[in-house]
Amino acid sequence: QQQVKQSPQSLIVQKGGISIINCAYENTAFDYFPWYQQFPGKGPALLIAIRPDVSEKKEGRFTISFNKSAKQFSLHIMDSQPGDSATYFCAASKADKLIFGTGTRLQVFP
Amino acid sequence: DVKVTQSSRYLVKRTGEKVFLECVQDMDHENMFWYRQDPGLGLRLIYFSYDVKMKEKGDIPEGYSVSREKKERFSLILESASTNQTSMYLCASSLAGTRSLFFGSGTQLSVL
């Protein structure tokens, strides 16, 4: 049973474009929603995170949009760069245990 | 910087072997986790530990066990490796009460 559903599985974006990755969750007890970025040969690293008391969080070119009523959240990467090419995982948690989505492989072409 | 070190980057084992995957973190984190990563399935939690000698089952514990004898070290044990345990194994740690996981670079295990 997949508690966090992530789409799309892969995404190709041109340099300068906007990358959008979506996630949906089922458990309304989740109270922390991070995004992790993973480069080939490396472990995932925390990129940005949000709590459900706010609808948006922005850090540089990365923005999380959160819709509590729809139980959905998304990552927006503005002005996408080739260096953003990586696999992105959304996650949700209650307490210290994270449940991850299935991942999105993003490729940004020059 | 937090460093989570996994003992092997690549490992090849035979079916039925007992396999130990070692993980060490250097930032005095209370929480440690073992995930496996498979294409299309994301990261799935195998076991986790909130303290020394303490362990909790994650979502897919079957076929695995863990050991945490020291705070900094968390070992994953495959009692009798099978081909369906071929995967990338990721260790992570975090401070108690925080949600930020720090991952190691992973061990790619192949069971033949």
Side-chain angles (χ1 to χ4, degrees):
Chain A
Q1 182 183 2
Q2 188 68 38
Q3 295 191 55
V4 179
K5 295 182 180 178
Q6 183 173 347
S7 63
Q9 189 170 0
S10 63
L11 184 59
I12 299 174
V13 173
Q14 201 158 13
K15 179 182 175 181
I18 302 173
S19 304
I20 302 174
I21 305 170
N22 301 299
C23 283
Y25 63 96
E26 298 168 359
N27 189 344
T28 55
F30 289 144
D31 61 358
Y32 175 76
F33 302 88
W35 286 88
Y36 280 76
Q37 180 188 54
Q38 183 181 30
F39 293 107
K42 302 290 186 183
L46 179 64
L47 183 64
I48 187 173
I50 197 168
R51 293 190 183 271
D53 52 345
V54 297
S55 60
E56 186 175 283
K57 183 173 181 180
K58 184 176 181 180
E59 290 184 2
R61 296 184 294 109
F62 299 90
T63 300
I64 299 178
S65 297
F66 187 83
N67 185 330
K68 189 174 181 178
S69 60
K71 295 189 285 185
Q72 295 175 345
F73 59 110
S74 59
L75 176 69
H76 295 237
I77 306 174
M78 310 300 287
D79 187 26
S80 298
Q81 299 297 312
D84 297 330
S85 297
T87 299
Y88 293 81
F89 293 96
C90 63
S93 84
K94 175 69 178 172
D96 291 354
K97 189 175 95 169
L98 293 186
I99 306 296
F100 284 87
T102 52
T104 297
R105 185 185 177 203
L106 172 65
Q107 296 174 275
V108 182
F109 286 95
Chain B
D1 279 352
V2 174
K3 192 167 184 181
V4 179
T5 302
Q6 295 186 230
S7 54
S8 304
R9 183 72 182 95
Y10 298 97
L11 209 53
V12 180
K13 296 292 181 181
R14 297 207 175 273
T15 303
E17 279 193 76
K18 190 169 185 176
V19 180
F20 293 86
L21 302 183
E22 306 288 344
C23 175
V24 177
Q25 49 93 5
D26 65 358
M27 282 301 289
D28 204 35
H29 284 176
E30 290 81 8
N31 304 333
M32 296 191 75
F33 306 82
W34 276 106
Y35 287 88
R36 64 176 281 177
Q37 180 176 4
D38 300 287
L41 296 178
L43 281 70
R44 293 179 292 166
L45 183 62
I46 304 171
Y47 267 96
F48 58 103
S49 169
Y50 290 151
D51 201 352
V52 176
K53 295 193 185 292
M54 176 270 178
K55 60 185 178 184
E56 295 261 358
K57 292 181 180 179
D59 299 318
I60 52 165
E62 296 78 19
Y64 304 94
S65 62
V66 290
S67 172
R68 193 163 181 203
E69 296 296 319
K70 293 184 178 181
K71 188 176 184 179
E72 68 271 18
R73 186 179 297 269
F74 193 35
S75 302
L76 180 69
I77 303 158
L78 287 65
E79 295 289 344
S80 177
S82 63
T83 54
N84 63 11
Q85 293 179 310
T86 291
S87 185
M88 171 66 77
Y89 289 88
L90 290 162
C91 175
S93 71
S94 68
L95 273 172
T98 72
R99 317 286 183 96
S100 300
L101 294 187
F102 293 86
F103 281 89
S105 294
T107 295
Q108 179 63 54
L109 173 66
S110 297
V111 182
L112 306 178

